[in-house]
């Protein structure tokens, strides 16, 4: 991103990323038994996109993707969780420069940085912000929404730790490492 402009590549990534978030959020989920709370693979994908394309793309993919998923499949967005998806994507994207996945190197140190960041970000988002907004916006029962937040947050942390790390590792291996003889085509 140069200045305040998004590149065409980033804009396309936001569109495609949002669509994939919707599809994964609808068809690649496992119900948990806690009302309206699923084991959701879309957060592993969101983390991948946030690290590749940065915080603005990560935030918009989480925000747009979650809002569209809720609207299409449930009739209206549940804004407290939509906002947190955007926050999670944005904040994970903030470490994209330190991880520098385009270098083709995803070391143990970078994996630890990625996972410590995503765990902290998701704990804040799902354990505190989403349930608090549920209470403030929708007057939901406190016990219910904090349980949902704990379950969703814990599962999202696991999804990103496993699926997100795996996707980033595969993506890094597809990049030419600096100093290698392979030319980018």
């Amino acid at each position: 991103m140069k200045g305040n402009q998004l590149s065409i590549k980033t804009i396309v990534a936001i569109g495609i990323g949002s669509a994939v978030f919707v599809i994964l959020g609808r068809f690649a989920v496992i119900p948990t038994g806690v009302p309206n709370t699923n084991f959701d693979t879309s957060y592993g994908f969101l983390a991948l996109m946030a690290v590749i394309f940065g915080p603005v793309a990560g935030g918009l993919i989480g925000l747009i993707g979650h809002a569209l998923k809720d609207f299409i499949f449930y009739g209206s967005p549940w804004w407290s969780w939509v906002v947190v998806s955007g926050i999670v994507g944005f904040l994970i994207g903030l470490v994209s420069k330190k991880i520098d996945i385009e270098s083709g190197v995803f070391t143990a140190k970078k994996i630890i940085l990625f996972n410590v960041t995503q765990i902290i970000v998701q704990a804040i988002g799902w354990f505190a912000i989403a349930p608090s907004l549920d209470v403030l916006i929708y007057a939901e029962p406190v016990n219910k929404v904090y349980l949902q937040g704990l379950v969703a947050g814990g599962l999202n942390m696991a999804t990103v730790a496993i699926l997100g790390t795996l996707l980033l590792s595969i993506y890094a291996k597809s990049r030419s490492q600096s100093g290698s003889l392979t030319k980018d085509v």
Side-chain angles (χ1 to χ4, degrees), residues 46-54 92-93 95-96 99 101 114 168:
L46 175 61
L48 169 73
M49 297 299 281
V51 170
I52 294 171
F53 293 101
I92 290 173
V95 298
S96 62
I99 293 173
I101 202 74
F114 167 70
L168 284 166

Side-chain angles (χ1 to χ4, degrees), residues 111-150:
I111 291 169
I112 291 168
L113 172 64
F114 167 70
N115 278 293
V116 167
T117 300
Q118 70 93 0
I119 288 168
I120 291 168
V121 164
Q122 295 206 79
I124 293 166
W126 301 116
F127 299 167
I129 297 172
S132 297
L133 289 175
D134 280 349
V135 172
L136 291 171
I137 297 169
Y138 302 109
E140 288 286 317
V142 172
N143 292 345
K144 173 189 158 195
V145 295
Y146 280 94
L147 174 62
Q148 289 173 323
L150 285 172

Side-chain angles (χ1 to χ4, degrees), residues 13 19 26 32 35 51 55 66-67 92 97 99 124-125 139 157 180 184:
R26 176 64 177 138
T32 63
V51 170
H66 197 142
I92 290 173
K97 288 188 182 187
I99 293 173
I124 293 166
M157 289 175 193
S180 77
D184 288 329

